[in-house]
Amino acid sequence: MRPFQYVRATDSAGAISAVARNPESKFLAGGTNLVDLMKMGSEHPAHLVDITRLPLAEIVERDGHIRIGAMARNSDTANSPLIRERYPVLTQALLSGASAQLRNMATVGGNLMQRTRCYYFYDPSFTECNKRTPGSGCSAKSGVNRIHAILGASEQCIAVHPSDMCVALAALDAIVQVEGPQGGRSIPFAEFHRLPGDKPSIDTTLKPNELITAVDLPALPFARRSTYIKVRDRNSYAFALVSVACVLDIGPDGKIRDARIALGGVAHKPWRVRAAEQSLVGKAPAEAAYRAAADMVVNGAKPYKDNGFKVELAKRIIVRALADTAALG
Ligand code: SF4
């Protein structure tokens, strides 16, 4: 690991100005991803601004929505009674990620910022990685690409976003609150992460020196009927091959009034297809409708040498998630 300077911030404004003073700076929260990347040599900030002491860890109800502070630990968020009761999909997603020890360290803001687990990105001995070194190429395209994207990839990068929590937040239409040198702003979750395009080194739409301060969950009474399913190579401490967050609103007439389907493990960001969700509205919960929606979600998928199985897997777990969610009381 290369030497770096370390400072601890006590308020958001101080953290933002400390990062803004040094272009080689990064915010340090739980460190469960950034420190790994620094040890591996994939990232080498000259200056770390520790934000773990900022008073941003509360999970509170505000005007009907829930605000989760960016420094809330993943374990605290997962086990919050507000989250467990109103947004079970988020609790299930969080508890399916990493290990208990990591969830006790990792923060909500850091989870949004975690980087792809593409093996080639993590290992600097592979010199071709456009995400790590823009313009160098992409080792995964011709290499082992079992865990890589089937949707939304580019010629420059076929990596996937690794988070479980973000898949649930996408289904819930969360809002990301950020503060920066020019003030605060709100970013709809669907616009927070970006597809790789011709700039795969940039994962999000954050502007320079902006700090995530909170994530807001909109009041969504029907989110009590929600499910997260994650398929992975082993049953704990593994990233998703494919995952799905599903939320259903079923009316008193037994017809679907609203549907949310977000996929993880398939693209550079959580993947939603609004037309597929809309296709379920007004229909009775039934397998034929689920299958049609699943086909729409993966329409246009482009698998690579080792990951063709993800297309059928995604379809099957969408159908299963919709059926399981509809069966909830
Ligand atoms: Fe790098 Fe993206 Fe290619 Fe992986 S898929 S090697 S992260 S450019």
Side-chain angles (χ1 to χ4, degrees), residues 203-251:
D203 292 339
T204 73
T205 54
L206 281 175
K207 294 176 183 163
N209 311 317
E210 280 187 328
L211 172 70
I212 300 169
T213 55
V215 173
D216 289 346
L217 302 178
L220 209 61
F222 65 86
R224 285 181 164 87
R225 189 193 289 265
S226 60
T227 309
Y228 187 73
I229 295 179
K230 175 176 182 177
V231 177
R232 47 190 159 169
D233 281 328
R234 56 172 188 266
N235 207 25
S236 76
Y237 198 41
F239 293 95
L241 290 168
V242 181
S243 67
V244 60
C246 181
V247 186
L248 278 181
D249 182 15
I250 299 177

Side-chain angles (χ1 to χ4, degrees), residues 2-20:
R2 294 189 198 169
F4 59 89
Q5 289 186 319
Y6 169 92
V7 294
R8 179 179 287 157
T10 53
D11 57 48
S12 299
I16 292 163
S17 61
V19 162

